[in-house]
Amino acid sequence: MNPDLDALKPYPFEKLAALKAGVTPPEGLAHIPLTIGEPQHAPFAAALETLQAHQQAFARYPATAGIPELRQAITAWATRRFGLEGLDAERQVLPVNGTREAIFAFIQAALDRTRPARVAVPNPFYQIYEGATLLAGGQPLYLDCRAENDFRPDLDAVPADTWREVQILFLCSPGNPTGAVTPRAEFEKLIALADEHDFIIASDECYSELYLDETAPPPGLLEACAAIGRHDYRRCLVFHSLSKRSNLPGLRSGFVAGDAALIAPFKRYRTYHGCAMSLPLQHASITAWNDEAHVRANRDAYREKFAAVTEILAPVLEFAEPEASFYLWPAVPGGDDEAFTRALFAAEHVSVLPGSYMGREAVDGINPGRGRVRLALVAELEPTVEAAQRIRRFVERSS
């Protein structure tokens, strides 16, 4: 077997299961998980109807590039959403089976292990960035995201010599687990850094459509490119998904868009990889990308939940209300995120994810996720509010 497999760390949910092993929660309380970022709102019904209407197309092999109608729907959506000019549906857009698969595959395709192969990732982070880097023979460079920097990487803290070893920089905006949003000016600063040191910017924007202020949608990397007249999107790629936007995580549908000079070899890699999206899923995706009404309704539901949960938890937990995503990232009393998680499960049958499981010890030997927990507010309103009430009760009893 590939010896690089031995470098992979245990996945956070594997560690969480071990942490809770042997704990017996109260029998009278139903389990409420706030751990996995899997939307529990109803999936977009029209997309499912389209899927059924095209089920006979399962009899045909799909092409890696996807059907032109899907690429055009994606291009039209991205152009509207981010104010783009001339995004080329043929050369600059590639449908993929969700962002997780595409992020992993892109790192395998892009990393050149014949020279220093560092991949800069936010810390804490989505584990696929790290795992894909290690399996591609690269070395992660962890960029701490701390409260004093609004939970965004401190780009100025990275020396020029280190930037020169970076081949890919991953962003996640809005962030997982922090909900932090990268401002457009910071995207522009990154573009200048990429030009100076010759690396790729890969922006994971799968939470971009879940924002609390309807008048302030999060900016994106391609939007920043367009603002400075960089319509070839050189060195820039974005990853988008229907999982969160349309509550369709099982559809495994998303896209990659940006620099045609990166898309073309990635498409060639994927042709050999054999990961084309099936035709019925492509048709369902067209229906989803073409509709905004269900996305606005989805945001309304999250706003209602955030308002209720923050009102309940703000008196007992310290956290910054995020601009976007469906996560809360509170500090825990006493600072021991594992002990808090285990005790909360034992007392209230509520599962949360220790923040230290999403981070790594980096520059100063401190894991920036330690002392916090991630709450995924993905369930419907009633169980989410009940979970918040149980957490508050637990904290008040423990203080």
Side-chain angles (χ1 to χ4, degrees):
M1 298 296 289
N2 184 346
D4 289 338
L5 286 167
D6 295 333
L8 297 181
K9 312 292 194 299
Y11 211 68
F13 303 113
E14 180 184 347
K15 295 175 70 175
L16 178 62
L19 178 69
K20 297 193 300 182
V23 177
T24 303
E27 292 183 3
L29 291 177
H31 182 221
I32 305 179
L34 302 179
T35 49
I36 301 177
E38 180 183 59
Q40 300 298 302
H41 295 180
F44 181 39
L48 302 184
E49 292 165 4
T50 303
L51 179 65
Q52 179 148 0
H54 288 84
Q55 60 184 314
Q56 291 301 316
F58 277 121
R60 294 168 51 204
Y61 282 122
T64 301
I67 58 177
E69 295 85 353
L70 175 56
R71 293 197 307 275
Q72 290 159 6
I74 290 168
T75 301
W77 176 81
T79 297
R80 291 192 304 269
R81 170 64 174 84
F82 296 107
L84 308 182
E85 292 183 24
L87 183 66
D88 189 333
E90 182 67 26
R91 299 173 58 251
Q92 295 178 319
V93 174
L94 185 63
V96 296
N97 291 311
T99 53
R100 176 177 181 151
E101 179 271 327
I103 287 167
F104 183 92
F106 179 73
I107 294 176
Q108 311 309 304
L111 212 59
D112 177 3
R113 57 175 89 190
T114 66
R115 58 188 178 92
R118 305 192 79 172
V119 177
V121 300
N123 187 29
F125 56 91
Y126 181 44
Q127 303 298 299
I128 300 306
Y129 309 150
E130 177 189 69
T133 298
L134 294 170
L135 285 174
Q139 178 185 0
L141 170 65
Y142 302 107
L143 306 179
D144 286 357
C145 299
R146 301 182 183 276
E148 54 267 30
N149 203 45
D150 296 324
F151 299 109
R152 302 196 307 272
D154 183 359
L155 303 176
D156 296 329
V158 181
D161 287 349
T162 302
W163 279 126
R164 281 192 283 273
E165 295 183 348
V166 170
Q167 294 188 25
I168 306 171
L169 179 140
F170 263 95
L171 290 175
C172 185
S173 179
N176 171 15
T178 67
V181 169
T182 301
R184 198 174 79 184
E186 197 162 306
F187 277 124
E188 294 174 11
K189 180 177 181 178
L190 274 169
I191 292 168
L193 270 173
D195 286 346
E196 180 182 358
H197 299 293
D198 189 24
F199 61 77
I200 297 166
I201 306 172
S203 184
D204 180 356
E205 301 178 4
C206 69
Y207 299 96
S208 71
E209 304 314 290
L210 304 182
Y211 47 92
L212 297 182
D213 183 352
E214 192 66 28
T215 67
L221 175 60
L222 298 192
E223 178 182 347
C225 287
I228 61 175
R230 194 186 186 98
H231 301 300
D232 62 356
Y233 312 113
R234 190 169 71 260
R235 294 193 177 89
C236 296
L237 284 183
V238 296
F239 296 75
H240 280 269
S241 169
L242 291 174
S243 295
K244 279 73 176 177
R245 176 187 184 273
S246 301
N247 303 314
L248 291 166
L251 195 69
R252 309 313 302 139
S253 177
F255 70 86
V256 181
D259 186 350
L262 299 174
I263 293 286
F266 187 38
K267 177 184 170 184
R268 185 166 68 249
Y269 173 91
R270 295 177 68 76
T271 300
Y272 280 84
H273 192 193
C275 51
M277 190 190 308
S278 71
L279 288 167
L281 271 62
Q282 292 190 50
H283 287 288
S285 301
I286 292 170
T287 299
W289 289 118
N290 283 340
D291 185 87
E292 287 297 323
H294 77 283
V295 188
R296 288 191 293 270
N298 199 32
R299 283 196 292 270
D300 287 342
Y302 279 113
R303 285 190 195 103
E304 184 180 12
K305 272 193 291 187
F306 268 97
V309 169
T310 54
E311 182 178 0
I312 293 166
L313 293 181
V316 296
L317 292 177
E318 177 192 341
F319 56 88
E321 186 171 353
E323 297 177 61
S325 84
F326 46 48
Y327 299 116
L328 279 185
W329 184 237
V332 300
D336 189 333
D337 51 311
E338 287 186 304
F340 179 92
T341 297
R342 184 178 171 91
L344 173 65
F345 180 71
E348 298 290 349
H349 211 175
V350 173
S351 294
V352 299
L353 187 65
S356 58
Y357 291 3
M358 299 193 69
R360 297 285 181 261
E361 295 181 359
V363 178
D364 54 8
I366 298 174
N367 183 330
R370 193 168 305 284
R372 294 182 178 271
V373 292
R374 190 186 76 174
L375 312 182
L377 307 186
V378 293
E380 295 289 354
L381 178 64
E382 185 177 347
T384 305
V385 167
E386 182 181 347
Q389 291 169 338
R390 292 191 204 174
I391 292 171
R392 178 167 177 169
R393 182 170 64 199
F394 168 74
V395 174
E396 289 176 335
R397 286 177 176 172
S398 303
S399 61

